[in-house]
Amino acid sequence: MDKIKAMQTFVRIVEANSFSKAAETLNLPRAALTATLQKLEAYLGTQLLQRTTRRLSLTPEGAEYFRHCIDILKAVDTAELAFRGPDATKPRGLLRINLPNTVGRRLVVPHIARFHAAWPDVQLQLSLTDRLVDLTQEGIDCALRVGTLQDSAFIGKQVGLMRFVTCASPAYLARHGTPHTLADLATHSGIMHYSGRTGRAFDWDFLQGKEVVRVQMAGPIAVNDADASVACALQGLGLAQAALYQVREHLDSGALVAVLADHPPTPMPMSLLTPQGRLATPKLQAFAGWLTALLAAQPDVQLPTHKI
Protein backbone atom coordinates (compact mmCIF):
# COMPACT_ATOMS: atom_id res chain seq x y z
CA MET A 1 0.00 0.00 0.00
CA ASP A 2 1.26 3.47 -0.92
CA LYS A 3 0.99 5.19 2.49
CA ILE A 4 1.32 8.73 1.16
CA LYS A 5 -1.35 8.15 -1.48
CA ALA A 6 -3.59 6.56 1.15
CA MET A 7 -3.14 9.58 3.44
CA GLN A 8 -3.93 11.97 0.59
CA THR A 9 -7.07 10.01 -0.23
CA PHE A 10 -8.19 9.93 3.41
CA VAL A 11 -7.63 13.69 3.83
CA ARG A 12 -9.58 14.50 0.67
CA ILE A 13 -12.52 12.32 1.79
CA VAL A 14 -12.61 14.09 5.16
CA GLU A 15 -12.32 17.56 3.62
CA ALA A 16 -15.06 16.85 1.09
CA ASN A 17 -17.17 14.98 3.66
CA SER A 18 -18.19 12.77 0.78
CA PHE A 19 -16.70 9.88 -1.16
CA SER A 20 -18.39 11.07 -4.36
CA LYS A 21 -17.15 14.68 -4.11
CA ALA A 22 -13.66 13.53 -3.18
CA ALA A 23 -13.63 11.18 -6.16
CA GLU A 24 -14.64 14.02 -8.49
CA THR A 25 -11.85 16.32 -7.31
CA LEU A 26 -9.27 13.52 -7.48
CA ASN A 27 -10.60 12.35 -10.86
CA LEU A 28 -10.86 8.77 -9.59
CA PRO A 29 -13.76 6.31 -9.39
CA ARG A 30 -15.58 6.24 -6.07
CA ALA A 31 -14.86 2.56 -5.68
CA ALA A 32 -11.11 3.25 -5.74
CA LEU A 33 -11.43 5.65 -2.79
CA THR A 34 -13.54 3.16 -0.83
CA ALA A 35 -10.99 0.40 -1.42
CA THR A 36 -8.09 2.65 -0.38
CA LEU A 37 -9.80 3.66 2.85
CA GLN A 38 -10.65 0.05 3.68
CA LYS A 39 -7.02 -1.00 3.16
CA LEU A 40 -5.82 1.93 5.28
CA GLU A 41 -8.18 1.07 8.14
CA ALA A 42 -7.14 -2.61 7.95
CA TYR A 43 -3.46 -1.63 7.99
CA LEU A 44 -3.92 0.67 11.00
CA GLY A 45 -6.21 -1.77 12.77
CA THR A 46 -8.79 0.89 13.57
CA GLN A 47 -11.88 2.53 12.09
CA LEU A 48 -11.24 6.09 10.88
CA LEU A 49 -14.69 7.08 9.61
CA GLN A 50 -18.25 6.41 10.69
CA ARG A 51 -20.25 6.02 7.49
CA THR A 52 -24.03 6.34 7.17
CA THR A 53 -26.28 6.92 4.17
CA ARG A 54 -26.43 10.66 4.97
CA ARG A 55 -23.05 11.73 6.32
CA LEU A 56 -19.49 10.89 7.30
CA SER A 57 -17.95 11.56 10.68
CA LEU A 58 -14.49 10.98 12.09
CA THR A 59 -13.98 8.53 14.90
CA PRO A 60 -11.74 9.79 17.74
CA GLU A 61 -8.90 7.76 16.25
CA GLY A 62 -9.71 9.13 12.81
CA ALA A 63 -9.60 12.73 14.05
CA GLU A 64 -6.16 12.20 15.57
CA TYR A 65 -4.89 10.43 12.44
CA PHE A 66 -6.27 13.23 10.24
CA ARG A 67 -4.24 15.84 12.17
CA HIS A 68 -1.08 13.77 11.73
CA CYS A 69 -1.81 13.32 8.00
CA ILE A 70 -2.09 17.08 7.46
CA ASP A 71 1.29 17.66 9.13
CA ILE A 72 2.97 14.78 7.30
CA LEU A 73 1.67 15.71 3.85
CA LYS A 74 2.68 19.33 4.31
CA ALA A 75 6.17 18.21 5.39
CA VAL A 76 6.43 15.94 2.35
CA ASP A 77 5.46 18.78 -0.01
CA THR A 78 8.00 21.10 1.62
CA ALA A 79 10.77 18.49 1.40
CA GLU A 80 10.05 17.73 -2.25
CA LEU A 81 10.14 21.39 -3.22
CA ALA A 82 13.65 21.68 -1.75
CA PHE A 83 15.06 18.87 -3.91
CA ARG A 84 13.14 18.87 -7.19
CA GLY A 85 15.37 21.48 -8.82
CA PRO A 86 14.53 24.92 -10.26
CA ASP A 87 11.39 23.67 -12.02
CA ALA A 88 9.87 22.80 -8.64
CA THR A 89 9.19 26.45 -7.94
CA LYS A 90 7.71 27.10 -11.38
CA PRO A 91 3.94 27.64 -11.23
CA ARG A 92 2.18 24.79 -13.00
CA GLY A 93 -0.88 22.57 -12.78
CA LEU A 94 -4.59 23.05 -12.13
CA LEU A 95 -5.70 25.86 -9.81
CA ARG A 96 -9.35 25.97 -8.74
CA ILE A 97 -10.53 29.48 -7.85
CA ASN A 98 -13.85 30.77 -6.54
CA LEU A 99 -14.81 34.40 -7.20
CA PRO A 100 -17.89 36.48 -6.26
CA ASN A 101 -20.08 36.77 -9.36
CA THR A 102 -19.95 40.50 -10.08
CA VAL A 103 -16.37 40.98 -8.88
CA GLY A 104 -15.23 38.10 -11.05
CA ARG A 105 -17.05 39.32 -14.16
CA ARG A 106 -16.08 43.00 -13.77
CA LEU A 107 -12.66 43.06 -12.11
CA VAL A 108 -10.92 39.73 -12.71
CA VAL A 109 -12.07 37.84 -15.81
CA PRO A 110 -11.57 40.76 -18.25
CA HIS A 111 -7.84 40.64 -17.40
CA ILE A 112 -7.34 36.88 -17.07
CA ALA A 113 -5.42 36.66 -20.36
CA ARG A 114 -2.60 38.57 -18.69
CA PHE A 115 -2.27 35.87 -16.04
CA HIS A 116 -2.26 33.18 -18.70
CA ALA A 117 0.44 35.01 -20.63
CA ALA A 118 2.60 35.27 -17.52
CA TRP A 119 2.02 31.70 -16.27
CA PRO A 120 1.03 29.54 -19.27
CA ASP A 121 1.61 26.27 -17.38
CA VAL A 122 -1.14 27.05 -14.85
CA GLN A 123 -4.63 25.88 -15.81
CA LEU A 124 -7.33 27.95 -14.12
CA GLN A 125 -10.75 26.60 -13.21
CA LEU A 126 -12.88 29.61 -12.26
CA SER A 127 -16.22 29.33 -10.47
CA LEU A 128 -18.23 32.55 -10.27
CA THR A 129 -21.00 32.50 -7.70
CA ASP A 130 -22.32 34.49 -4.76
CA ARG A 131 -23.05 31.25 -2.91
CA LEU A 132 -20.82 30.75 0.12
CA VAL A 133 -18.70 27.92 -1.24
CA ASP A 134 -17.09 25.41 1.14
CA LEU A 135 -13.51 25.33 -0.12
CA THR A 136 -12.57 22.00 1.41
CA GLN A 137 -15.71 20.12 0.42
CA GLU A 138 -15.63 21.35 -3.17
CA GLY A 139 -11.88 21.06 -3.69
CA ILE A 140 -11.31 24.80 -4.18
CA ASP A 141 -7.70 25.99 -3.81
CA CYS A 142 -8.54 29.62 -3.04
CA ALA A 143 -11.48 32.00 -2.94
CA LEU A 144 -11.83 35.77 -3.09
CA ARG A 145 -14.23 36.99 -0.41
CA VAL A 146 -15.62 40.47 0.22
CA GLY A 147 -16.47 41.39 3.80
CA THR A 148 -15.38 40.39 7.29
CA LEU A 149 -14.06 36.83 7.47
CA GLN A 150 -15.87 34.54 9.91
CA ASP A 151 -14.49 31.03 9.42
CA SER A 152 -11.22 30.28 11.23
CA ALA A 153 -10.87 27.07 9.20
CA PHE A 154 -9.35 29.18 6.43
CA ILE A 155 -6.31 31.42 6.11
CA GLY A 156 -7.20 34.86 4.78
CA LYS A 157 -4.83 37.36 3.19
CA GLN A 158 -6.27 40.83 2.63
CA VAL A 159 -5.66 41.94 -0.96
CA GLY A 160 -7.73 45.13 -1.11
CA LEU A 161 -10.55 47.25 0.23
CA MET A 162 -13.71 47.64 -1.81
CA ARG A 163 -15.02 51.20 -1.73
CA PHE A 164 -18.72 51.99 -1.91
CA VAL A 165 -20.82 55.06 -2.73
CA THR A 166 -24.36 56.16 -2.00
CA CYS A 167 -25.99 57.33 -5.21
CA ALA A 168 -29.27 57.96 -7.05
CA SER A 169 -30.53 59.02 -10.45
CA PRO A 170 -31.05 62.74 -11.19
CA ALA A 171 -34.77 62.01 -11.68
CA TYR A 172 -35.09 60.53 -8.18
CA LEU A 173 -33.23 63.46 -6.60
CA ALA A 174 -35.41 65.95 -8.52
CA ARG A 175 -38.54 64.34 -7.03
CA HIS A 176 -37.31 63.74 -3.47
CA GLY A 177 -34.46 66.18 -2.92
CA THR A 178 -30.79 65.49 -2.24
CA PRO A 179 -29.87 64.20 1.24
CA HIS A 180 -27.06 66.18 2.88
CA THR A 181 -27.01 64.56 6.33
CA LEU A 182 -27.68 61.06 7.63
CA ALA A 183 -30.80 62.41 9.33
CA ASP A 184 -32.16 63.33 5.88
CA LEU A 185 -32.29 59.64 4.97
CA ALA A 186 -35.45 59.27 7.08
CA THR A 187 -37.45 60.79 4.21
CA HIS A 188 -35.83 58.74 1.44
CA SER A 189 -36.34 55.29 -0.06
CA GLY A 190 -33.49 52.86 -0.42
CA ILE A 191 -33.01 50.02 -2.86
CA MET A 192 -32.45 47.26 -0.35
CA HIS A 193 -29.98 44.43 -0.72
CA TYR A 194 -31.02 41.32 1.17
CA SER A 195 -29.17 38.18 2.16
CA GLY A 196 -29.95 35.19 -0.03
CA ARG A 197 -29.23 33.00 3.00
CA THR A 198 -31.39 34.71 5.64
CA GLY A 199 -33.74 36.83 3.52
CA ARG A 200 -32.99 39.84 5.76
CA ALA A 201 -32.16 43.23 4.24
CA PHE A 202 -28.76 44.65 5.16
CA ASP A 203 -28.56 47.91 7.10
CA TRP A 204 -26.52 50.76 5.60
CA ASP A 205 -23.26 51.68 7.32
CA PHE A 206 -21.64 55.10 7.01
CA LEU A 207 -18.38 56.60 8.23
CA GLN A 208 -18.88 59.67 10.39
CA GLY A 209 -15.37 60.76 11.25
CA LYS A 210 -13.80 57.62 12.71
CA GLU A 211 -17.11 56.18 13.85
CA VAL A 212 -19.40 53.82 11.96
CA VAL A 213 -23.07 54.84 11.98
CA ARG A 214 -25.67 52.23 11.03
CA VAL A 215 -28.90 53.38 9.40
CA GLN A 216 -31.99 51.21 8.89
CA MET A 217 -33.30 52.05 5.45
CA ALA A 218 -36.52 50.93 3.80
CA GLY A 219 -37.86 50.99 0.29
CA PRO A 220 -40.23 49.40 -2.20
CA ILE A 221 -37.56 47.27 -3.92
CA ALA A 222 -35.26 44.61 -2.45
CA VAL A 223 -32.77 42.58 -4.49
CA ASN A 224 -30.05 40.03 -3.76
CA ASP A 225 -27.84 40.97 -6.71
CA ALA A 226 -25.50 43.96 -6.95
CA ASP A 227 -26.10 44.61 -10.65
CA ALA A 228 -29.86 44.53 -10.08
CA SER A 229 -29.49 47.19 -7.39
CA VAL A 230 -27.68 49.48 -9.83
CA ALA A 231 -30.31 48.85 -12.50
CA CYS A 232 -33.06 49.88 -10.06
CA ALA A 233 -31.17 53.04 -9.13
CA LEU A 234 -30.82 53.99 -12.81
CA GLN A 235 -34.61 53.77 -13.09
CA GLY A 236 -35.08 56.28 -10.27
CA LEU A 237 -36.51 53.82 -7.73
CA GLY A 238 -34.44 55.04 -4.78
CA LEU A 239 -31.03 55.61 -3.29
CA ALA A 240 -28.55 52.77 -3.63
CA GLN A 241 -25.29 51.78 -2.03
CA ALA A 242 -23.02 50.23 -4.64
CA ALA A 243 -19.37 49.40 -5.13
CA LEU A 244 -17.63 52.30 -6.86
CA TYR A 245 -16.29 50.09 -9.65
CA GLN A 246 -19.85 49.04 -10.50
CA VAL A 247 -21.20 52.57 -10.95
CA ARG A 248 -18.11 54.49 -12.08
CA GLU A 249 -19.30 54.76 -15.70
CA HIS A 250 -22.75 55.94 -14.56
CA LEU A 251 -21.27 58.56 -12.23
CA ASP A 252 -19.00 59.82 -15.01
CA SER A 253 -21.90 60.03 -17.47
CA GLY A 254 -24.26 61.69 -14.98
CA ALA A 255 -26.77 58.82 -15.10
CA LEU A 256 -26.18 58.48 -11.34
CA VAL A 257 -25.18 61.15 -8.82
CA ALA A 258 -23.14 60.51 -5.67
CA VAL A 259 -24.60 61.88 -2.44
CA LEU A 260 -23.47 62.17 1.18
CA ALA A 261 -19.81 62.58 0.18
CA ASP A 262 -18.93 63.52 3.79
CA HIS A 263 -20.36 60.21 5.02
CA PRO A 264 -19.04 57.46 2.72
CA PRO A 265 -20.21 53.88 3.24
CA THR A 266 -17.73 51.73 5.12
CA PRO A 267 -15.32 49.93 2.79
CA MET A 268 -15.21 46.13 2.85
CA PRO A 269 -12.02 44.07 3.01
CA MET A 270 -11.27 41.85 0.03
CA SER A 271 -9.45 38.68 1.12
CA LEU A 272 -8.01 35.64 -0.59
CA LEU A 273 -8.86 32.49 1.38
CA THR A 274 -7.08 29.14 1.40
CA PRO A 275 -7.85 26.08 3.55
CA GLN A 276 -5.81 25.62 6.72
CA GLY A 277 -2.91 23.20 6.38
CA ARG A 278 -2.49 23.69 2.63
CA LEU A 279 1.00 24.44 1.35
CA ALA A 280 1.31 27.77 -0.44
CA THR A 281 2.18 26.24 -3.80
CA PRO A 282 3.97 28.19 -6.54
CA LYS A 283 0.79 28.33 -8.65
CA LEU A 284 -1.20 29.73 -5.71
CA GLN A 285 1.54 32.23 -4.87
CA ALA A 286 1.61 33.36 -8.52
CA PHE A 287 -2.15 33.92 -8.60
CA ALA A 288 -2.19 35.73 -5.24
CA GLY A 289 0.56 38.09 -6.39
CA TRP A 290 -1.13 38.71 -9.73
CA LEU A 291 -4.52 39.37 -8.11
CA THR A 292 -3.02 41.78 -5.57
CA ALA A 293 -1.31 43.74 -8.36
CA LEU A 294 -4.51 43.72 -10.44
CA LEU A 295 -6.56 45.18 -7.60
CA ALA A 296 -3.85 47.74 -6.85
CA ALA A 297 -4.29 49.06 -10.39
CA GLN A 298 -8.05 49.46 -9.94
CA PRO A 299 -8.84 53.14 -9.17
CA ASP A 300 -11.91 52.25 -7.07
CA VAL A 301 -10.24 49.60 -4.91
CA GLN A 302 -7.97 50.71 -2.08
CA LEU A 303 -5.17 48.43 -0.98
CA PRO A 304 -4.85 47.79 2.78
CA THR A 305 -2.40 50.02 4.61
CA HIS A 306 -1.26 47.20 6.89
CA LYS A 307 -0.45 43.54 6.48
CA ILE A 308 -2.87 40.85 7.57
Side-chain angles (χ1 to χ4, degrees), residues 37 40 52 79 83-84 87 93 98 107 112-113 133 135 139 146 162-163 167 176 207 222 267 270 298:
L37 182 65
L40 181 61
T52 68
F83 293 98
R84 289 206 318 252
D87 282 349
N98 174 248
L107 295 184
I112 209 70
V133 171
L135 275 65
V146 179
M162 185 177 291
R163 297 164 57 202
C167 57
H176 301 279
L207 290 176
M270 304 176 73
Q298 297 289 339

PDB file of all heavy atoms in Angstrom, residues 37 40 52 79 83-84 87 93 98 107 112-113 133 135 139 146 162-163 167 176 207 222 267 270 298:
ATOM      1  N   LEU A  37      -9.496   3.416   1.447  1.00  0.00           N
ATOM      2  CA  LEU A  37      -9.796   3.661   2.852  1.00  0.00           C
ATOM      3  C   LEU A  37      -9.904   2.341   3.621  1.00  0.00           C
ATOM      4  O   LEU A  37      -9.422   2.227   4.758  1.00  0.00           O
ATOM      5  CB  LEU A  37     -11.085   4.461   2.994  1.00  0.00           C
ATOM      6  CG  LEU A  37     -11.450   4.818   4.445  1.00  0.00           C
ATOM      7  CD1 LEU A  37     -10.410   5.768   5.040  1.00  0.00           C
ATOM      8  CD2 LEU A  37     -12.830   5.442   4.516  1.00  0.00           C
ATOM      9  N   LEU A  40      -6.489   1.107   4.275  1.00  0.00           N
ATOM     10  CA  LEU A  40      -5.822   1.932   5.284  1.00  0.00           C
ATOM     11  C   LEU A  40      -6.316   1.569   6.677  1.00  0.00           C
ATOM     12  O   LEU A  40      -5.513   1.440   7.621  1.00  0.00           O
ATOM     13  CB  LEU A  40      -6.068   3.415   4.988  1.00  0.00           C
ATOM     14  CG  LEU A  40      -5.423   4.428   5.936  1.00  0.00           C
ATOM     15  CD1 LEU A  40      -3.902   4.285   5.912  1.00  0.00           C
ATOM     16  CD2 LEU A  40      -5.828   5.852   5.555  1.00  0.00           C
ATOM     17  N   THR A  52     -22.603   6.603   7.261  1.00  0.00           N
ATOM     18  CA  THR A  52     -24.032   6.336   7.169  1.00  0.00           C
ATOM     19  C   THR A  52     -24.487   6.742   5.775  1.00  0.00           C
ATOM     20  O   THR A  52     -23.697   7.240   4.964  1.00  0.00           O
ATOM     21  CB  THR A  52     -24.821   7.140   8.223  1.00  0.00           C
ATOM     22  OG1 THR A  52     -24.765   8.542   7.891  1.00  0.00           O
ATOM     23  CG2 THR A  52     -24.249   6.931   9.614  1.00  0.00           C
ATOM     24  N   ALA A  79       9.520  19.199   1.678  1.00  0.00           N
ATOM     25  CA  ALA A  79      10.768  18.494   1.404  1.00  0.00           C
ATOM     26  C   ALA A  79      10.981  18.301  -0.094  1.00  0.00           C
ATOM     27  O   ALA A  79      12.089  18.488  -0.612  1.00  0.00           O
ATOM     28  CB  ALA A  79      10.769  17.148   2.121  1.00  0.00           C
ATOM     29  N   PHE A  83      14.152  19.751  -3.180  1.00  0.00           N
ATOM     30  CA  PHE A  83      15.059  18.869  -3.906  1.00  0.00           C
ATOM     31  C   PHE A  83      14.674  18.600  -5.357  1.00  0.00           C
ATOM     32  O   PHE A  83      15.394  17.877  -6.054  1.00  0.00           O
ATOM     33  CB  PHE A  83      15.161  17.514  -3.171  1.00  0.00           C
ATOM     34  CG  PHE A  83      15.835  17.613  -1.841  1.00  0.00           C
ATOM     35  CD1 PHE A  83      15.084  17.701  -0.683  1.00  0.00           C
ATOM     36  CD2 PHE A  83      17.213  17.640  -1.735  1.00  0.00           C
ATOM     37  CE1 PHE A  83      15.694  17.803   0.555  1.00  0.00           C
ATOM     38  CE2 PHE A  83      17.840  17.740  -0.501  1.00  0.00           C
ATOM     39  CZ  PHE A  83      17.080  17.823   0.647  1.00  0.00           C
ATOM     40  N   ARG A  84      13.585  19.176  -5.836  1.00  0.00           N
ATOM     41  CA  ARG A  84      13.144  18.866  -7.192  1.00  0.00           C
ATOM     42  C   ARG A  84      13.756  19.780  -8.241  1.00  0.00           C
ATOM     43  O   ARG A  84      13.364  19.726  -9.403  1.00  0.00           O
ATOM     44  CB  ARG A  84      11.615  18.950  -7.278  1.00  0.00           C
ATOM     45  CG  ARG A  84      10.917  17.813  -6.562  1.00  0.00           C
ATOM     46  CD  ARG A  84       9.542  17.503  -7.133  1.00  0.00           C
ATOM     47  NE  ARG A  84       8.764  18.673  -7.451  1.00  0.00           N
ATOM     48  CZ  ARG A  84       7.708  19.088  -6.754  1.00  0.00           C
ATOM     49  NH1 ARG A  84       7.362  18.447  -5.657  1.00  0.00           N
ATOM     50  NH2 ARG A  84       7.028  20.127  -7.129  1.00  0.00           N
ATOM     51  N   ASP A  87      12.753  23.775 -11.492  1.00  0.00           N
ATOM     52  CA  ASP A  87      11.389  23.668 -12.021  1.00  0.00           C
ATOM     53  C   ASP A  87      10.350  23.449 -10.928  1.00  0.00           C
ATOM     54  O   ASP A  87       9.149  23.625 -11.157  1.00  0.00           O
ATOM     55  CB  ASP A  87      11.297  22.520 -13.033  1.00  0.00           C
ATOM     56  CG  ASP A  87      11.880  22.910 -14.381  1.00  0.00           C
ATOM     57  OD1 ASP A  87      12.143  24.114 -14.570  1.00  0.00           O
ATOM     58  OD2 ASP A  87      12.099  22.025 -15.218  1.00  0.00           O
ATOM     59  N   GLY A  93       0.190  23.439 -13.243  1.00  0.00           N
ATOM     60  CA  GLY A  93      -0.885  22.574 -12.776  1.00  0.00           C
ATOM     61  C   GLY A  93      -2.218  23.294 -12.660  1.00  0.00           C
ATOM     62  O   GLY A  93      -2.346  24.482 -12.936  1.00  0.00           O
ATOM     63  N   ASN A  98     -12.473  30.316  -6.676  1.00  0.00           N
ATOM     64  CA  ASN A  98     -13.853  30.772  -6.541  1.00  0.00           C
ATOM     65  C   ASN A  98     -13.867  32.288  -6.410  1.00  0.00           C
ATOM     66  O   ASN A  98     -13.122  32.856  -5.611  1.00  0.00           O
ATOM     67  CB  ASN A  98     -14.509  30.132  -5.311  1.00  0.00           C
ATOM     68  CG  ASN A  98     -15.886  30.681  -5.039  1.00  0.00           C
ATOM     69  OD1 ASN A  98     -16.100  31.365  -4.046  1.00  0.00           O
ATOM     70  ND2 ASN A  98     -16.842  30.409  -5.904  1.00  0.00           N
ATOM     71  N   LEU A 107     -14.019  42.691 -12.493  1.00  0.00           N
ATOM     72  CA  LEU A 107     -12.659  43.057 -12.115  1.00  0.00           C
ATOM     73  C   LEU A 107     -11.591  42.044 -12.492  1.00  0.00           C
ATOM     74  O   LEU A 107     -10.433  42.414 -12.701  1.00  0.00           O
ATOM     75  CB  LEU A 107     -12.587  43.300 -10.596  1.00  0.00           C
ATOM     76  CG  LEU A 107     -13.384  44.480 -10.041  1.00  0.00           C
ATOM     77  CD1 LEU A 107     -13.126  44.632  -8.548  1.00  0.00           C
ATOM     78  CD2 LEU A 107     -13.031  45.771 -10.768  1.00  0.00           C
ATOM     79  N   ILE A 112      -7.915  38.196 -17.353  1.00  0.00           N
ATOM     80  CA  ILE A 112      -7.343  36.879 -17.072  1.00  0.00           C
ATOM     81  C   ILE A 112      -6.324  36.450 -18.122  1.00  0.00           C
ATOM     82  O   ILE A 112      -5.432  35.636 -17.844  1.00  0.00           O
ATOM     83  CB  ILE A 112      -8.476  35.831 -16.928  1.00  0.00           C
ATOM     84  CG1 ILE A 112      -8.040  34.699 -15.989  1.00  0.00           C
ATOM     85  CG2 ILE A 112      -8.914  35.295 -18.271  1.00  0.00           C
ATOM     86  CD1 ILE A 112      -7.929  35.118 -14.547  1.00  0.00           C
ATOM     87  N   ALA A 113      -6.402  36.999 -19.331  1.00  0.00           N
ATOM     88  CA  ALA A 113      -5.419  36.660 -20.360  1.00  0.00           C
ATOM     89  C   ALA A 113      -4.013  37.077 -19.947  1.00  0.00           C
ATOM     90  O   ALA A 113      -3.024  36.444 -20.343  1.00  0.00           O
ATOM     91  CB  ALA A 113      -5.792  37.316 -21.684  1.00  0.00           C
ATOM     92  N   VAL A 133     -19.249  29.221  -0.867  1.00  0.00           N
ATOM     93  CA  VAL A 133     -18.697  27.922  -1.236  1.00  0.00           C
ATOM     94  C   VAL A 133     -17.829  27.373  -0.106  1.00  0.00           C
ATOM     95  O   VAL A 133     -17.050  28.110   0.510  1.00  0.00           O
ATOM     96  CB  VAL A 133     -17.866  28.050  -2.526  1.00  0.00           C
ATOM     97  CG1 VAL A 133     -17.097  26.773  -2.819  1.00  0.00           C
ATOM     98  CG2 VAL A 133     -18.770  28.405  -3.691  1.00  0.00           C
ATOM     99  N   LEU A 135     -14.725  25.599   0.642  1.00  0.00           N
ATOM    100  CA  LEU A 135     -13.515  25.334  -0.124  1.00  0.00           C
ATOM    101  C   LEU A 135     -13.071  23.885  -0.004  1.00  0.00           C
ATOM    102  O   LEU A 135     -12.709  23.256  -1.006  1.00  0.00           O
ATOM    103  CB  LEU A 135     -12.370  26.253   0.335  1.00  0.00           C
ATOM    104  CG  LEU A 135     -12.296  27.647  -0.278  1.00  0.00           C
ATOM    105  CD1 LEU A 135     -13.498  28.496   0.104  1.00  0.00           C
ATOM    106  CD2 LEU A 135     -11.011  28.354   0.142  1.00  0.00           C
ATOM    107  N   GLY A 139     -13.208  21.164  -3.096  1.00  0.00           N
ATOM    108  CA  GLY A 139     -11.882  21.062  -3.689  1.00  0.00           C
ATOM    109  C   GLY A 139     -11.371  22.360  -4.274  1.00  0.00           C
ATOM    110  O   GLY A 139     -10.617  22.343  -5.251  1.00  0.00           O
ATOM    111  N   VAL A 146     -15.439  39.064  -0.117  1.00  0.00           N
ATOM    112  CA  VAL A 146     -15.619  40.473   0.219  1.00  0.00           C
ATOM    113  C   VAL A 146     -16.383  40.551   1.525  1.00  0.00           C
ATOM    114  O   VAL A 146     -17.464  39.965   1.659  1.00  0.00           O
ATOM    115  CB  VAL A 146     -16.389  41.222  -0.896  1.00  0.00           C
ATOM    116  CG1 VAL A 146     -16.576  42.684  -0.508  1.00  0.00           C
ATOM    117  CG2 VAL A 146     -15.644  41.123  -2.224  1.00  0.00           C
ATOM    118  N   MET A 162     -12.723  47.205  -0.829  1.00  0.00           N
ATOM    119  CA  MET A 162     -13.710  47.644  -1.809  1.00  0.00           C
ATOM    120  C   MET A 162     -14.422  48.889  -1.298  1.00  0.00           C
ATOM    121  O   MET A 162     -14.990  48.893  -0.213  1.00  0.00           O
ATOM    122  CB  MET A 162     -14.720  46.526  -2.082  1.00  0.00           C
ATOM    123  CG  MET A 162     -15.713  46.882  -3.182  1.00  0.00           C
ATOM    124  SD  MET A 162     -16.836  45.519  -3.565  1.00  0.00           S
ATOM    125  CE  MET A 162     -15.699  44.374  -4.336  1.00  0.00           C
ATOM    126  N   ARG A 163     -14.380  49.937  -2.104  1.00  0.00           N
ATOM    127  CA  ARG A 163     -15.018  51.201  -1.729  1.00  0.00           C
ATOM    128  C   ARG A 163     -16.430  51.256  -2.286  1.00  0.00           C
ATOM    129  O   ARG A 163     -16.707  50.762  -3.383  1.00  0.00           O
ATOM    130  CB  ARG A 163     -14.194  52.372  -2.265  1.00  0.00           C
ATOM    131  CG  ARG A 163     -12.801  52.450  -1.686  1.00  0.00           C
ATOM    132  CD  ARG A 163     -11.919  53.349  -2.518  1.00  0.00           C
ATOM    133  NE  ARG A 163     -12.481  54.702  -2.646  1.00  0.00           N
ATOM    134  CZ  ARG A 163     -12.155  55.543  -3.620  1.00  0.00           C
ATOM    135  NH1 ARG A 163     -11.316  55.180  -4.567  1.00  0.00           N
ATOM    136  NH2 ARG A 163     -12.688  56.750  -3.657  1.00  0.00           N
ATOM    137  N   CYS A 167     -25.692  56.599  -3.982  1.00  0.00           N
ATOM    138  CA  CYS A 167     -25.994  57.330  -5.212  1.00  0.00           C
ATOM    139  C   CYS A 167     -27.468  57.181  -5.587  1.00  0.00           C
ATOM    140  O   CYS A 167     -28.189  56.347  -5.034  1.00  0.00           O
ATOM    141  CB  CYS A 167     -25.118  56.843  -6.363  1.00  0.00           C
ATOM    142  SG  CYS A 167     -25.262  55.076  -6.694  1.00  0.00           S
ATOM    143  N   HIS A 176     -37.357  63.916  -4.930  1.00  0.00           N
ATOM    144  CA  HIS A 176     -37.313  63.744  -3.471  1.00  0.00           C
ATOM    145  C   HIS A 176     -36.279  64.628  -2.775  1.00  0.00           C
ATOM    146  O   HIS A 176     -36.219  64.624  -1.543  1.00  0.00           O
ATOM    147  CB  HIS A 176     -37.026  62.277  -3.140  1.00  0.00           C
ATOM    148  CG  HIS A 176     -38.042  61.325  -3.697  1.00  0.00           C
ATOM    149  ND1 HIS A 176     -39.254  61.090  -3.080  1.00  0.00           N
ATOM    150  CD2 HIS A 176     -38.039  60.568  -4.827  1.00  0.00           C
ATOM    151  CE1 HIS A 176     -39.948  60.215  -3.804  1.00  0.00           C
ATOM    152  NE2 HIS A 176     -39.236  59.884  -4.861  1.00  0.00           N
ATOM    153  N   LEU A 207     -19.464  56.069   7.411  1.00  0.00           N
ATOM    154  CA  LEU A 207     -18.383  56.598   8.232  1.00  0.00           C
ATOM    155  C   LEU A 207     -18.698  58.043   8.596  1.00  0.00           C
ATOM    156  O   LEU A 207     -18.958  58.873   7.724  1.00  0.00           O
ATOM    157  CB  LEU A 207     -17.056  56.536   7.474  1.00  0.00           C
ATOM    158  CG  LEU A 207     -16.462  55.140   7.234  1.00  0.00           C
ATOM    159  CD1 LEU A 207     -15.208  55.237   6.377  1.00  0.00           C
ATOM    160  CD2 LEU A 207     -16.146  54.449   8.554  1.00  0.00           C
ATOM    161  N   ALA A 222     -36.364  45.325  -3.095  1.00  0.00           N
ATOM    162  CA  ALA A 222     -35.261  44.611  -2.455  1.00  0.00           C
ATOM    163  C   ALA A 222     -34.714  43.583  -3.443  1.00  0.00           C
ATOM    164  O   ALA A 222     -35.486  42.889  -4.116  1.00  0.00           O
ATOM    165  CB  ALA A 222     -35.720  43.927  -1.174  1.00  0.00           C
ATOM    166  N   PRO A 267     -15.890  50.854   3.771  1.00  0.00           N
ATOM    167  CA  PRO A 267     -15.317  49.928   2.787  1.00  0.00           C
ATOM    168  C   PRO A 267     -15.305  48.511   3.338  1.00  0.00           C
ATOM    169  O   PRO A 267     -15.370  48.295   4.558  1.00  0.00           O
ATOM    170  CB  PRO A 267     -13.900  50.464   2.581  1.00  0.00           C
ATOM    171  CG  PRO A 267     -13.582  51.170   3.849  1.00  0.00           C
ATOM    172  CD  PRO A 267     -14.869  51.747   4.357  1.00  0.00           C
ATOM    173  N   MET A 270     -11.278  42.905   1.046  1.00  0.00           N
ATOM    174  CA  MET A 270     -11.266  41.845   0.034  1.00  0.00           C
ATOM    175  C   MET A 270     -10.119  40.904   0.406  1.00  0.00           C
ATOM    176  O   MET A 270      -8.965  41.332   0.511  1.00  0.00           O
ATOM    177  CB  MET A 270     -11.054  42.439  -1.362  1.00  0.00           C
ATOM    178  CG  MET A 270     -12.076  43.486  -1.735  1.00  0.00           C
ATOM    179  SD  MET A 270     -11.725  44.264  -3.341  1.00  0.00           S
ATOM    180  CE  MET A 270     -12.159  42.916  -4.462  1.00  0.00           C
ATOM    181  N   GLN A 298      -6.661  49.048  -9.799  1.00  0.00           N
ATOM    182  CA  GLN A 298      -8.055  49.464  -9.942  1.00  0.00           C
ATOM    183  C   GLN A 298      -8.270  50.779  -9.199  1.00  0.00           C
ATOM    184  O   GLN A 298      -8.038  50.836  -7.984  1.00  0.00           O
ATOM    185  CB  GLN A 298      -9.000  48.396  -9.391  1.00  0.00           C
ATOM    186  CG  GLN A 298      -8.955  47.069 -10.124  1.00  0.00           C
ATOM    187  CD  GLN A 298      -9.570  47.162 -11.506  1.00  0.00           C
ATOM    188  OE1 GLN A 298     -10.352  48.055 -11.786  1.00  0.00           O
ATOM    189  NE2 GLN A 298      -9.217  46.228 -12.358  1.00  0.00           N
TER     190      GLN A 298
END
